[in-house]
Amino acid sequence: MRILVLHGPNLNLLGRREPGIYGRKTLAGINRELEEAAEELGVELRIVQSNHEGELVDEIQKAREDCAGILINPAAYTHSSVALRDALAAVALPAVEVHLSNIYAREEFRRKSLTAPVVLGQISGFGADGYLWGLRALVKKIREARAENG
Ligand code: DQA
């Protein structure tokens, strides 16, 4: 089973970017932890970071061909991108949304997620751990659905 892990804009700067909000872990560090968790879970990851909305849409569309689910931190596009929301809805793959910070405890404009209504669930405010829990939750949901459907 393959899972697409999508990191949105500016997440390539993690570690240096507003560490008081996003922590000191780099994206490479988070990805390493995700790979370790994936090995334990017996799944394969395709990990992509992009600062470009259209590239993220392309990746979501591609996932339909060869991925069982999507773990996504849409970053700033969470709050603005109808295109990302529509892509997630269109491929209809099980997806989990992750945010390092608690978006509901921040500025007003961050308290709305356009993508949350089209994913299984959201984990927000637990730093890099949220990605690991998100991956576990996603894989569990996919396996349960497969078991139910025979
Ligand atoms: C973020 C929260 C967003 O509001 C912000 O634009 C980000 C990161 C998070 O992980 O906490 O870039 O998605």
Side-chain angles (χ1 to χ4, degrees):
M1 180 197 303
R2 188 179 301 115
I3 303 292
L4 173 65
V5 178
L6 261 191
H7 302 288
N10 300 307
L11 295 174
N12 54 313
L13 300 180
L14 284 179
R16 293 177 277 148
R17 174 192 182 204
E18 300 182 89
I21 296 173
Y22 299 116
R24 295 213 171 264
K25 263 186 199 157
T26 62
L27 191 62
I30 291 173
N31 288 341
R32 235 182 345 262
E33 289 182 3
L34 278 169
E35 290 287 9
E36 281 168 18
E39 204 177 312
E40 242 176 67
L41 290 164
V43 301
E44 194 188 311
L45 302 182
R46 177 157 73 233
I47 304 180
V48 178
Q49 188 277 327
S50 176
N51 294 324
H52 305 280
E53 189 176 21
E55 269 177 30
L56 294 165
V57 169
D58 286 344
E59 287 297 331
I60 292 168
Q61 289 188 11
K62 249 194 279 168
R64 180 159 49 179
E65 288 154 32
D66 60 357
C67 291
I70 301 174
L71 182 68
I72 182 168
N73 183 347
Y77 288 134
T78 307
H79 320 295
S80 67
S81 178
V82 176
L84 274 191
R85 176 202 174 109
D86 284 355
L88 288 166
V91 301
L93 285 170
V96 171
E97 178 175 325
V98 175
H99 299 285
L100 295 147
S101 63
N102 178 355
I103 59 172
Y104 302 100
R106 298 185 62 195
E107 302 95 322
E108 185 72 40
F109 67 87
R110 291 187 205 275
R111 293 184 198 158
K112 183 161 181 62
S113 168
L114 295 188
T115 42
V118 295
V119 297
L120 292 173
Q122 186 198 66
I123 298 175
S124 180
F126 294 97
D129 285 346
Y131 279 99
L132 303 176
W133 299 335
L135 179 65
R136 285 182 197 284
L138 179 60
V139 170
K140 185 161 189 265
K141 280 282 190 189
I142 294 167
R143 289 193 167 140
E144 281 170 359
R146 286 185 177 180
E148 265 171 39
N149 299 329

